[in-house]
Amino acid sequence: MISCIAGRGRAAAVGAAALVFAGVLGTPAAQAHEAGDWIVKGGVSLVKPKSGNGSVLDGTVGLDVNNNARPSVTLTYMATHHVGVELLAAMPFRHDIRGSGLGTIGSTRHLPPTLSLQWHFLPDSRIQPYVGVGLNYTTFFSTRASGALAGQDLSLRDSWGVAGQVGVDVKLDERWMLSADVRYIDISSKVRLNGEDIGKARVDPWVFTAAVGYRF
Protein backbone atom coordinates (compact mmCIF):
# COMPACT_ATOMS: atom_id res chain seq x y z
CA MET A 1 0.00 0.00 0.00
CA ILE A 2 2.77 2.43 1.00
CA SER A 3 4.75 1.68 -2.17
CA CYS A 4 1.61 2.17 -4.23
CA ILE A 5 0.96 5.57 -2.65
CA ALA A 6 4.60 6.54 -3.12
CA GLY A 7 4.44 5.49 -6.75
CA ARG A 8 1.32 7.57 -7.27
CA GLY A 9 3.04 10.51 -5.55
CA ARG A 10 6.01 10.27 -7.88
CA ALA A 11 3.71 10.03 -10.87
CA ALA A 12 1.80 13.09 -9.70
CA ALA A 13 5.03 15.02 -9.19
CA VAL A 14 6.26 14.07 -12.66
CA GLY A 15 2.90 15.03 -14.13
CA ALA A 16 2.95 18.40 -12.37
CA ALA A 17 6.50 19.07 -13.55
CA ALA A 18 5.48 18.17 -17.10
CA LEU A 19 2.55 20.58 -16.92
CA VAL A 20 4.79 23.38 -15.64
CA PHE A 21 7.36 22.68 -18.36
CA ALA A 22 4.68 22.60 -21.02
CA GLY A 23 3.26 25.84 -19.71
CA VAL A 24 6.64 27.56 -19.83
CA LEU A 25 7.24 26.36 -23.37
CA GLY A 26 3.69 27.06 -24.45
CA THR A 27 3.12 29.33 -27.41
CA PRO A 28 0.29 31.72 -26.62
CA ALA A 29 0.08 34.11 -29.58
CA ALA A 30 -0.58 37.05 -27.24
CA GLN A 31 2.94 36.68 -25.84
CA ALA A 32 4.79 36.52 -29.16
CA HIS A 33 7.24 39.15 -30.34
CA GLU A 34 5.73 40.67 -33.48
CA ALA A 35 7.07 42.92 -36.24
CA GLY A 36 6.73 46.52 -35.13
CA ASP A 37 7.04 45.80 -31.39
CA TRP A 38 9.29 47.95 -29.21
CA ILE A 39 10.91 46.35 -26.16
CA VAL A 40 12.56 48.38 -23.41
CA LYS A 41 14.63 46.70 -20.69
CA GLY A 42 16.15 48.16 -17.56
CA GLY A 43 18.64 46.37 -15.35
CA VAL A 44 22.26 46.09 -14.28
CA SER A 45 25.31 45.32 -16.43
CA LEU A 46 28.65 44.03 -15.16
CA VAL A 47 31.67 44.86 -17.33
CA LYS A 48 34.36 42.24 -16.72
CA PRO A 49 37.55 42.97 -18.75
CA LYS A 50 39.57 40.00 -19.95
CA SER A 51 42.73 39.00 -18.07
CA GLY A 52 45.74 41.01 -19.25
CA ASN A 53 44.70 44.36 -20.67
CA GLY A 54 47.61 45.34 -22.88
CA SER A 55 50.84 47.11 -22.02
CA VAL A 56 52.59 50.48 -22.15
CA LEU A 57 56.13 51.85 -22.22
CA ASP A 58 57.42 49.42 -24.87
CA GLY A 59 55.75 46.47 -23.19
CA THR A 60 57.54 46.92 -19.87
CA VAL A 61 54.37 47.70 -17.90
CA GLY A 62 51.37 45.39 -18.19
CA LEU A 63 47.91 46.81 -17.61
CA ASP A 64 45.04 45.43 -15.56
CA VAL A 65 41.55 46.98 -15.64
CA ASN A 66 39.10 46.11 -12.86
CA ASN A 67 35.41 45.13 -13.07
CA ASN A 68 32.51 47.52 -12.67
CA ALA A 69 28.70 47.28 -12.61
CA ARG A 70 26.22 50.01 -13.51
CA PRO A 71 22.52 50.41 -14.33
CA SER A 72 21.82 49.85 -18.03
CA VAL A 73 18.97 50.07 -20.50
CA THR A 74 18.27 48.58 -23.93
CA LEU A 75 15.73 49.49 -26.59
CA THR A 76 14.84 46.88 -29.20
CA TYR A 77 12.75 47.27 -32.35
CA MET A 78 11.39 44.05 -33.85
CA ALA A 79 11.81 44.54 -37.59
CA THR A 80 10.27 41.12 -38.27
CA HIS A 81 8.94 38.19 -36.26
CA HIS A 82 12.53 36.96 -35.79
CA VAL A 83 14.80 39.99 -36.37
CA GLY A 84 15.36 42.71 -33.78
CA VAL A 85 17.58 45.80 -33.72
CA GLU A 86 18.83 46.67 -30.24
CA LEU A 87 20.63 49.69 -28.77
CA LEU A 88 22.46 49.27 -25.44
CA ALA A 89 23.13 52.26 -23.20
CA ALA A 90 24.26 52.57 -19.58
CA MET A 91 25.39 54.92 -16.88
CA PRO A 92 29.15 55.59 -17.14
CA PHE A 93 31.32 52.70 -16.01
CA ARG A 94 34.35 53.50 -13.86
CA HIS A 95 37.53 51.43 -13.86
CA ASP A 96 40.80 51.57 -11.95
CA ILE A 97 43.90 50.87 -14.04
CA ARG A 98 46.83 49.03 -12.51
CA GLY A 99 50.33 48.78 -13.91
CA SER A 100 52.47 45.72 -13.23
CA GLY A 101 54.87 46.56 -10.40
CA LEU A 102 53.38 50.05 -10.02
CA GLY A 103 49.99 49.50 -8.40
CA THR A 104 47.10 51.74 -9.39
CA ILE A 105 48.30 54.26 -11.98
CA GLY A 106 44.99 55.80 -12.98
CA SER A 107 41.25 55.57 -13.46
CA THR A 108 38.83 56.23 -16.28
CA ARG A 109 35.14 56.35 -17.10
CA HIS A 110 33.54 55.14 -20.29
CA LEU A 111 30.24 54.82 -22.12
CA PRO A 112 29.87 51.82 -24.47
CA PRO A 113 26.75 52.30 -26.67
CA THR A 114 26.29 49.16 -28.77
CA LEU A 115 23.97 48.61 -31.73
CA SER A 116 23.17 44.96 -32.45
CA LEU A 117 21.20 42.95 -35.00
CA GLN A 118 19.46 40.05 -33.25
CA TRP A 119 17.93 36.76 -34.33
CA HIS A 120 15.15 35.45 -32.08
CA PHE A 121 14.87 31.68 -32.50
CA LEU A 122 11.50 31.09 -30.80
CA PRO A 123 9.53 34.35 -30.94
CA ASP A 124 6.24 32.57 -30.12
CA SER A 125 7.58 30.83 -27.02
CA ARG A 126 7.44 32.03 -23.45
CA ILE A 127 11.20 31.33 -23.30
CA GLN A 128 12.79 33.24 -26.17
CA PRO A 129 16.52 32.72 -26.81
CA TYR A 130 18.38 34.97 -29.23
CA VAL A 131 21.81 35.82 -30.57
CA GLY A 132 23.13 39.13 -31.80
CA VAL A 133 26.08 40.74 -33.54
CA GLY A 134 26.79 44.42 -33.77
CA LEU A 135 29.01 47.47 -33.52
CA ASN A 136 30.31 49.09 -30.35
CA TYR A 137 31.59 52.62 -29.85
CA THR A 138 33.30 53.30 -26.52
CA THR A 139 34.18 56.80 -25.45
CA PHE A 140 36.57 57.31 -22.53
CA PHE A 141 36.51 60.43 -20.35
CA SER A 142 37.49 61.70 -16.90
CA THR A 143 40.74 59.73 -17.17
CA ARG A 144 43.08 60.62 -14.32
CA ALA A 145 46.62 59.56 -13.48
CA SER A 146 47.49 58.51 -9.93
CA GLY A 147 50.14 56.67 -7.95
CA ALA A 148 53.43 56.50 -9.88
CA LEU A 149 51.91 58.70 -12.64
CA ALA A 150 50.30 61.29 -10.34
CA GLY A 151 50.38 64.81 -11.75
CA GLN A 152 50.76 63.68 -15.38
CA ASP A 153 48.23 63.86 -18.21
CA LEU A 154 46.85 60.36 -18.85
CA SER A 155 44.21 59.75 -21.52
CA LEU A 156 42.58 56.92 -23.50
CA ARG A 157 41.46 57.25 -27.10
CA ASP A 158 37.93 56.25 -28.11
CA SER A 159 37.37 52.78 -29.56
CA TRP A 160 35.31 51.12 -32.31
CA GLY A 161 34.82 47.35 -32.30
CA VAL A 162 32.51 44.42 -32.95
CA ALA A 163 30.23 42.89 -30.33
CA GLY A 164 28.63 39.45 -30.01
CA GLN A 165 25.65 38.59 -27.81
CA VAL A 166 23.71 35.59 -26.49
CA GLY A 167 20.55 36.15 -24.46
CA VAL A 168 17.14 34.94 -23.40
CA ASP A 169 13.79 36.56 -22.57
CA VAL A 170 11.35 34.81 -20.23
CA LYS A 171 7.84 36.17 -20.68
CA LEU A 172 5.87 36.78 -17.48
CA ASP A 173 2.68 37.88 -19.25
CA GLU A 174 1.62 39.64 -22.43
CA ARG A 175 3.88 42.65 -21.78
CA TRP A 176 6.42 41.95 -19.04
CA MET A 177 9.50 39.73 -19.18
CA LEU A 178 12.72 38.86 -17.40
CA SER A 179 15.89 39.02 -19.48
CA ALA A 180 19.53 37.97 -19.22
CA ASP A 181 22.34 38.21 -21.75
CA VAL A 182 26.09 38.08 -22.10
CA ARG A 183 28.15 40.01 -24.64
CA TYR A 184 31.75 40.04 -25.75
CA ILE A 185 32.88 43.49 -26.91
CA ASP A 186 36.09 44.37 -28.72
CA ILE A 187 37.39 47.49 -26.92
CA SER A 188 40.96 48.54 -27.68
CA SER A 189 42.26 52.01 -26.86
CA LYS A 190 45.52 53.87 -27.42
CA VAL A 191 47.02 55.12 -24.14
CA ARG A 192 48.55 58.59 -24.13
CA LEU A 193 50.76 60.16 -21.47
CA ASN A 194 51.41 63.89 -21.69
CA GLY A 195 50.21 63.82 -25.31
CA GLU A 196 52.45 60.93 -26.42
CA ASP A 197 51.27 57.42 -27.36
CA ILE A 198 52.81 54.96 -24.89
CA GLY A 199 50.93 51.75 -25.65
CA LYS A 200 47.51 50.18 -25.95
CA ALA A 201 44.85 49.10 -23.46
CA ARG A 202 42.93 46.02 -24.61
CA VAL A 203 39.85 45.91 -22.40
CA ASP A 204 37.86 43.35 -24.48
CA PRO A 205 35.27 42.75 -21.74
CA TRP A 206 32.54 40.23 -21.15
CA VAL A 207 29.38 42.15 -20.27
CA PHE A 208 26.75 40.35 -18.18
CA THR A 209 23.26 41.89 -17.93
CA ALA A 210 20.13 41.03 -15.94
CA ALA A 211 17.03 43.11 -16.64
CA VAL A 212 13.27 43.47 -16.56
CA GLY A 213 11.62 44.21 -19.91
CA TYR A 214 8.35 45.65 -21.21
CA ARG A 215 6.93 45.17 -24.72
CA PHE A 216 4.74 47.84 -26.29
Side-chain angles (χ1 to χ4, degrees):
M1 174 67 73
I2 294 176
S3 61
C4 181
I5 294 174
R8 289 177 181 176
R10 286 193 296 270
V14 171
L19 287 173
V20 171
F21 187 71
V24 169
L25 294 183
T27 59
Q31 295 189 5
H33 288 346
E34 299 290 351
D37 284 350
W38 290 90
I39 303 167
V40 62
K41 301 175 185 176
V44 176
S45 292
L46 170 68
V47 173
K48 182 177 176 61
K50 70 172 187 177
S51 298
N53 301 124
S55 62
V56 295
L57 302 175
D58 296 323
T60 60
V61 177
L63 301 178
D64 181 69
V65 180
N66 74 337
N67 305 339
N68 192 235
R70 284 290 187 268
S72 62
V73 63
T74 63
L75 181 64
T76 304
Y77 174 72
M78 295 302 296
T80 73
H81 199 47
H82 289 277
V83 177
V85 180
E86 180 196 70
L87 178 64
L88 166 70
M91 292 185 66
F93 294 92
R94 183 189 182 281
H95 300 277
D96 289 331
I97 305 169
R98 296 177 61 86
S100 56
L102 299 177
T104 301
I105 58 174
S107 63
T108 190
R109 296 179 183 272
H110 81 271
L111 286 172
T114 304
L115 186 66
S116 298
L117 186 67
Q118 299 175 334
W119 179 263
H120 293 252
F121 294 98
L122 302 171
D124 295 321
S125 175
R126 205 168 279 179
I127 295 180
Q128 303 183 10
Y130 58 87
V131 295
V133 62
L135 181 66
N136 166 263
Y137 170 71
T138 296
T139 180
F140 294 92
F141 58 96
S142 298
T143 303
R144 294 183 174 86
S146 61
L149 300 183
Q152 303 193 60
D153 180 20
L154 179 68
S155 64
L156 298 174
R157 303 293 298 272
D158 293 351
S159 166
W160 289 89
V162 297
Q165 176 189 31
V166 176
V168 63
D169 294 333
V170 179
K171 301 299 289 289
L172 301 177
D173 58 27
E174 184 178 354
R175 297 295 179 185
W176 292 94
M177 69 195 74
L178 299 178
S179 180
D181 68 66
V182 58
R183 305 168 193 260
Y184 178 79
I185 303 179
D186 174 24
I187 300 178
S188 181
S189 172
K190 289 183 178 180
V191 182
R192 308 192 78 183
L193 187 65
N194 300 323
E196 299 292 331
D197 290 339
I198 60 170
K200 184 170 288 188
R202 299 184 182 277
V203 183
D204 296 342
W206 291 95
V207 182
F208 302 90
T209 300
V212 175
Y214 183 81
R215 178 173 67 95
F216 59 95

